[in-house]
Amino acid sequence: MSQRPTETNSAGGASLFRVRSLRWRIQIWYAAVLATVIIAFGSVLYILHRTNRFHEIDNELSSAVEVLTGQLRAANSQTLDAFLHGGPTSAASTPELLQAIEKLNADLRVPSTFAPRRIAHPFEAPYFAIWRSGGQLATLSTSEDIGELNPPVIDARALAKRITYRDRGLFREAYAAGPEDSTVLVGRYIGPDVRDIRNVLFLICGTGTLVFAIGLVGGWIVSAYSIRPLLEIRRVAADISERNLADRIETERMDMELADLANILNDTFARLEAAFQRQKQFTADASHELRTPLAVMQMHQQLALAKQRSPEEYREALETCQHATQQMRQLVESMLALARADEAAGAGNQEPFDLKPLVEECLAQTQPLLDAQQTHIETNLAAALVIGDRNRLSQVITNLLTNLTVHCPPQTAATITLAAAGDRVELSVADNGPGIAAEDLPHIFDRFYRVDQPRSRQAGSVGLGLSICRTIVESHGGTITAESSPESGCTFRISLPAATSDPNAEQ
């Protein structure tokens, strides 16, 4: 219980960092990726440039060290010994030896392997130094102020590397072990090189910043273009209202993924528009149907109250009002039945059952009406398993049988056939009545549509029975059709999915 506030606070804190704008989220991710690429590319470019520049410097210094070391090794041993110790060290010294020492000292100079460069100050010139084995300085090629120059330590690691490098402030130096345990060092001022490397770094940073800024602007434009279809979808969806259901999303220039989404929404809008149209038409038709009996009642009530009437006239007026009331009640019940059928489409108590007993039960319930019309029913029923709602399918069969007493003349013969055909169950009700006109046949399942309006109204039909049948059958995954030709009767066919007799298969 004590952790719940912490979790809530944590979730609230996380939501603060969650960008809910798709465009901003795309822009942030794009900026992160672009910055990573620019930083990585700039870093690699800077490191490569710095490494190459120091590699060039080191090559110059190492070449100079090798040249100087080679000059020392090429010298005569007595001359070298005398040179390293500052003069002749034995009595065998001769003027020739002193001359050789001077010549060697004059020949030692910074080799021409250094690339020519402009030197602003004398201390920027390359220099070299040679130390004796004891660490005493034997010679130094420059008299300029180059800072404190200490002899490098030649240890086992330095010996293994042959030439070792060190940085001394803005001086880069290379050194190696020379003959007679001497140490040869060559160095040069690298201030211009460091400034050049720094300038390259500034150039990379500036170029990267400029590219990043241009990339952000371009990304913002691209993201705006990318989400434009989504904004169009949002605009159309926001404009959709009860009074404006005809707008659709243009999908011709959309990308395939968004076009699929837009097509789904357009289909949804189309179904929504059709539903609203059906509702409006239903309301208008219902109002029209209710207006007639109400007008009849009002007229007979006014006539009855206009003057003194005989008891027979009052009775006749009351009977007329009662008939109109029964019409309104039947209309309301039919409308409620249709509304329930619409609401329960796809739902209901779905269970497998044999349709044959249900047809026989409906036939028994309507038999009194059929007998009153002297309607002869012939049955040809076979066992047929379906999955569905018994009560709702019973209403369909009852409506079809009741229509025989409403739309067919007395002594009509009808045949009810029930059979299983593959994975379908076919139920047909065929009669030899007057049939349905070709111009009426496409509309008989429309709501409030009557083939013979005066006769249907007199018989109590409100024009909703077949609409209710179609709604219920389609909610079971089936179809209902009507076939008719003039003076040859009419046949209604219902096709429903068949259920297997294996209970495991149903699961």
Side-chain angles (χ1 to χ4, degrees):
M1 293 296 291
S2 61
Q3 294 180 352
R4 186 175 298 278
T6 304
E7 294 174 356
T8 303
N9 294 334
S10 178
S15 63
L16 294 176
F17 298 96
R18 182 183 178 186
V19 179
R20 300 191 62 183
S21 168
L22 176 61
R23 185 179 183 184
W24 273 107
R25 196 155 61 245
I26 292 175
Q27 185 69 12
I28 290 174
W29 277 107
Y30 175 75
V33 173
L34 181 62
T36 303
V37 171
I38 291 176
I39 291 174
F41 179 76
S43 299
V44 171
L45 189 63
Y46 169 74
I47 293 172
L48 285 177
H49 177 75
R50 186 179 185 279
T51 302
N52 289 335
R53 177 56 61 92
F54 273 89
H55 185 69
E56 292 175 358
I57 296 172
D58 291 345
N59 282 341
E60 289 179 337
L61 295 175
S62 61
S63 297
V65 170
E66 289 179 349
V67 169
L68 291 175
T69 304
Q71 287 179 335
L72 292 177
R73 293 186 189 281
N76 182 276
S77 58
Q78 291 182 344
T79 303
L80 179 62
D81 180 68
F83 172 77
L84 293 177
H85 292 84
T89 57
S90 65
S93 60
T94 62
E96 290 76 10
L97 179 59
L98 294 175
Q99 186 177 2
I101 294 172
E102 291 177 359
K103 183 176 184 303
L104 177 60
N105 200 16
D107 291 339
L108 290 176
R109 65 183 64 182
V110 175
S112 59
T113 53
F114 281 89
R117 58 178 57 84
R118 189 177 64 181
I119 298 174
H121 303 90
F123 63 85
E124 296 179 5
Y127 58 90
F128 69 89
I130 300 175
W131 284 271
R132 304 185 185 97
S133 59
Q136 295 83 11
L137 182 63
T139 181
L140 176 61
S141 66
T142 181
S143 58
E144 299 296 330
D145 183 11
I146 58 173
E148 185 178 359
L149 183 62
N150 297 319
V153 178
I154 304 296
D155 53 11
R157 184 178 178 182
L159 288 174
K161 294 173 66 175
R162 194 167 63 83
I163 295 178
T164 307
Y165 305 94
R166 74 177 185 182
D167 290 321
R168 189 172 58 83
L170 289 177
F171 292 93
R172 180 74 172 174
E173 296 173 341
Y175 58 92
E180 302 293 338
D181 295 331
S182 63
T183 301
V184 179
L185 178 143
V186 178
R188 79 170 178 87
Y189 183 72
I190 60 172
D193 302 279
V194 173
R195 285 195 299 272
D196 180 67
I197 293 172
R198 189 181 298 119
N199 291 337
V200 170
L201 176 61
F202 291 154
L203 179 63
I204 291 174
C205 291
T207 304
T209 303
L210 179 62
V211 171
F212 183 71
I214 295 174
L216 287 182
V217 174
W220 187 255
I221 295 174
V222 171
S223 63
Y225 181 80
S226 300
I227 67 171
R228 185 180 301 172
L230 294 177
L231 297 179
E232 174 64 14
I233 293 173
R234 185 184 67 175
R235 184 193 66 77
V236 174
D239 290 342
I240 291 292
S241 64
E242 182 181 355
R243 295 184 178 180
N244 180 23
L245 294 170
D247 279 357
R248 296 293 183 269
I249 303 168
E250 294 291 340
T251 59
E252 293 181 357
R253 291 184 294 179
M254 282 188 179
D255 295 331
M256 182 176 61
E257 295 81 0
L258 292 177
D260 291 342
L261 173 62
N263 288 328
I264 293 173
L265 290 175
N266 282 338
D267 292 341
T268 303
F269 296 153
R271 290 194 296 271
L272 185 62
E273 182 181 15
F276 269 94
Q277 289 297 332
R278 286 196 300 271
Q279 185 181 25
K280 291 171 65 176
Q281 186 64 38
F282 182 81
T283 304
D285 293 340
S287 301
H288 176 75
E289 294 298 326
L290 287 172
R291 187 183 300 119
T292 301
L294 286 173
V296 171
M297 292 176 61
Q298 184 180 15
M299 180 184 67
H300 282 272
Q301 289 169 358
Q302 289 175 347
L303 289 176
L305 297 175
K307 63 179 182 180
Q308 190 66 31
R309 302 288 183 178
S310 64
E312 290 74 15
E313 290 175 330
Y314 282 125
R315 181 179 184 82
E316 183 180 354
L318 289 174
E319 289 177 348
T320 302
C321 292
Q322 184 183 24
H323 180 69
T325 303
Q326 289 175 349
Q327 283 186 330
M328 287 192 296
R329 178 182 178 183
Q330 186 176 1
L331 175 61
V332 171
E333 290 177 349
S334 298
M335 291 169 58
L336 288 175
L338 185 59
R340 294 193 189 99
D342 286 338
E343 183 180 2
N349 184 20
Q350 302 288 321
E351 59 179 357
F353 65 93
D354 189 355
L355 195 59
K356 179 182 177 183
L358 183 63
V359 175
E360 293 172 343
E361 180 181 334
C362 295
L363 189 59
Q365 292 175 353
T366 56
Q367 194 61 49
L369 293 175
L370 297 171
D371 291 342
Q373 286 288 104
Q374 298 179 356
T375 302
H376 175 69
I377 301 294
E378 183 178 346
T379 59
N380 184 15
L381 306 178
L385 286 178
V386 297
I387 296 179
D389 189 322
R390 291 174 58 90
N391 295 330
R392 297 171 65 199
L393 289 177
S394 171
Q395 187 177 2
V396 173
I397 300 170
T398 302
N399 282 348
L400 294 179
L401 294 176
T402 305
N403 281 347
L404 293 174
T405 65
V406 175
H407 302 287
C408 295
Q411 299 181 348
T412 297
T415 302
I416 302 177
T417 303
L418 176 64
D423 59 348
R424 308 291 293 183
V425 170
E426 305 289 344
L427 172 66
S428 65
V429 179
D431 62 70
N432 62 350
I436 303 173
E439 60 270 20
D440 294 324
L441 196 59
H443 307 290
I444 60 173
F445 293 103
D446 294 346
R447 299 181 178 188
F448 296 106
Y449 187 83
R450 298 185 181 92
V451 176
D452 185 351
Q453 294 201 13
R455 184 167 177 269
S456 298
R457 194 184 302 278
Q458 186 179 7
S461 173
V462 295
L464 291 176
L466 290 179
S467 298
I468 295 173
C469 292
R470 183 175 64 176
T471 302
I472 294 175
V473 171
E474 290 181 350
S475 71
H476 284 74
T479 59
I480 180 170
T481 58
E483 303 170 3
S484 179
S485 58
E487 306 301 332
S488 62
C490 178
T491 301
F492 287 91
R493 299 184 187 278
I494 296 175
S495 176
L496 295 170
T500 176
S501 57
D502 183 4
N504 295 326
E506 299 299 336
Q507 297 175 355

